[in-house]
Amino acid sequence: MAKETILVVEDEEDIRELLKYNLEKEGYQIFGAATGEEALQAVRRRRPDLILLDLMLPGIDGLEVCRRIKGDPQARDLPIIMLTAKGEETDIVTGLELGADDYVTKPFSPRVLVARLRAALRRRSQPLPPQTAPLKTDELVIHPGRHEVLLQGQPIPLTVTEFRLLHLLARKPGWVFTRTKIVDEIHGEDYPVSDRSIDVQIVSLRKKLGGFGSRIETIRGIGYRFKD
Ligand code: CA
C-alpha cells in the first residue's frame, strides 16, 4: 500500500523537522511548506492525504489557507489539522467553522498528534452513517427514525433538541463541534436555539445520560466533542 502523504505547513524550521521526523517514523510520507503560498501550491501539485497547518504563518496565514482550501471544490475534502498555540481559542473556533477537522495545541506530544492524525485519516475513508440509520456505540443506541435513545436497553426521555444534539455529536465521534456549528446543524423548532442555550442543553443531556454523560466532552472555549 502506498504511504499516506502529509503536508506539514510550518514556518519554523525546527518544528517542521521535528514533525517530519516523528511522522516519518510512523510510516507517513512527509513534505513541508514554510509559507501559506507554498502550502496552496503544494496542495494543487501534490495532492496530500492530510494537512498539518500552523495558523501563525508569515504572509497568507493559516486561517486564510484553510478558507481557500475549503472553498476549492477540488480540495475541500482534504482533512486539515490545525497547529495552534495556547490562547488561540478564537482562531481555533474560526478554523473549525471554516471546515478544519481538528487542532493540536503546541507544544504537542508526538503520541497525541499521531493519534489525532490517524483518527482524521480514518474518518476520511469511512463514510458517515446515513442520517436515518440507527447508531450504536457500546451501551448507547440512537434510533433517528423513532426519535428514541436506549442506554443499556433502557429508553431515555429526551427533548427534541437534546435528541438532535446527542445524535449530531455521536454521529461524528472525535469531531469537535463549535457552538455556532451545533446551532446551525440542529435548528431548534421547539424553541430558538442560541449559542449559550447549547451549554444548558448539554448539562441537561449529561444528567439524563448519567455516567455515560461523561462521553460528551467540553472543550474549553471551543465547543463539545463525543469521545471516540
Ligand atoms: Ca508559525
Side-chain angles (χ1 to χ4, degrees):
M1 208 174 114
K3 284 183 179 180
E4 287 175 299
T5 56
I6 295 168
L7 171 61
V8 174
V9 187
E10 167 64 80
D11 55 316
E12 282 164 73
E13 197 181 348
D14 46 348
I15 301 181
R16 203 168 62 235
E17 288 306 313
L18 180 70
L19 285 164
K20 191 167 184 301
Y21 170 79
N22 278 296
L23 297 174
E24 278 177 349
K25 224 170 47 179
E26 295 293 326
Y28 297 107
Q29 190 184 343
I30 308 302
F31 45 98
T35 65
E37 287 84 350
E38 270 182 44
L40 291 167
Q41 272 186 11
V43 167
R44 277 194 298 270
R45 289 192 191 148
R46 310 190 66 165
R47 304 259 154 226
D49 293 302
L50 182 142
I51 305 182
L52 216 48
L53 177 63
D54 181 34
L55 290 190
M56 299 275 272
L57 296 169
I60 302 178
D61 69 10
L63 285 177
E64 184 56 28
V65 171
C66 184
R67 192 189 319 270
R68 293 197 195 174
I69 291 172
K70 293 298 172 181
D72 174 356
Q74 303 264 316
R76 64 158 47 114
D77 293 335
L78 189 54
I80 297 178
I81 297 182
M82 301 179 281
L83 284 175
T84 66
K86 265 220 167 67
E88 289 185 345
E89 280 80 7
T90 316
D91 287 345
I92 295 170
V93 167
T94 306
L96 291 169
E97 280 163 10
L98 286 171
D101 292 70
D102 204 351
Y103 69 95
V104 173
T105 309
K106 292 189 222 176
F108 51 85
S109 109
R111 203 173 46 84
V112 168
L113 177 69
V114 168
R116 296 290 185 77
L117 206 136
R118 283 217 180 97
L121 287 168
R122 194 175 59 232
R123 290 196 293 256
R124 173 170 152 268
S125 55
Q126 279 172 354
L128 276 179
Q131 275 289 358
T132 50
L135 269 188
K136 290 179 186 149
T137 51
D138 3 316
E139 307 143 273
L140 191 75
V141 182
I142 304 175
H143 285 287
R146 284 187 246 157
H147 256 259
E148 185 182 63
V149 171
L150 300 174
L151 183 62
Q152 293 170 330
Q154 295 301 308
I156 307 290
L158 298 180
T159 65
V160 174
T161 306
E162 287 163 356
F163 180 89
R164 287 191 184 153
L165 185 51
L166 178 63
H167 186 217
L168 176 72
L169 298 177
R171 194 160 163 263
K172 288 181 164 186
W175 286 70
V176 182
F177 286 87
T178 66
R179 292 179 178 79
T180 311
K181 198 126 206 177
I182 293 173
V183 171
D184 284 352
E185 301 249 359
I186 67 178
H187 352 261
E189 277 161 24
D190 41 351
Y191 66 90
V193 181
S194 69
D195 279 25
R196 284 300 142 194
S197 78
I198 294 297
D199 299 343
V200 178
Q201 301 283 343
I202 293 273
V203 169
S204 155
L205 183 56
R206 277 200 189 119
K207 202 184 273 174
K208 289 182 182 177
L209 293 174
F212 194 86
S214 62
R215 288 286 291 272
I216 302 173
E217 189 185 359
T218 303
I219 318 284
R220 254 184 104 89
I222 296 169
Y224 294 99
R225 156 162 63 195
F226 192 86
K227 280 191 238 170
D228 247 325

